[in-house]
Amino acid sequence: LQAVMFGFGGLTSIGVNTINIALPGAVAGMIFAPLVARADAARAALYGGICAACAVLGTGVMVSLSLYLSSPDFAASSRVVI
C-alpha cells in the first residue's frame, strides 16, 4: 500500500515502519504498566484505554514526522496524518 500511494516502500522501509508502529506502543506500555498493575479492574481498564490511545496518537506523530523528514513533497501528507 505504501509503495502504491507514495511511490516508495516495500522491504526498503520495513525498519522505519517497524519503529513507527512498535516504539510508541512500547513506550506507552512502559509508562502505563505500573498504573495498571496497582489499579482495580475498572481503573485498569481506563488506564489501558488511555494507553492504547496514546500509542495510536504516538504512531500518527511518528508516521507524520517520517513523512515530513523524508521529503518536502510529503509535507501536505504529514499534516493530513495528524
Side-chain angles (χ1 to χ4, degrees), residues 49-62:
I50 293 170
C51 177
C54 289
V56 170
L57 181 64
T59 296
V61 169
M62 295 283 289

Side-chain angles (χ1 to χ4, degrees), residues 16-42:
V16 172
N17 290 340
T18 302
I19 294 297
N20 284 342
I21 293 170
L23 186 64
V27 170
M30 286 189 285
I31 291 170
F32 282 92
L35 295 173
V36 171
R38 290 190 308 244
D40 61 352

Side-chain angles (χ1 to χ4, degrees), residues 55-73:
V56 170
L57 181 64
T59 296
V61 169
M62 295 283 289
V63 168
S64 178
L65 184 64
S66 296
L67 285 172
Y68 183 76
L69 292 176
S70 67
S71 172
D73 298 332

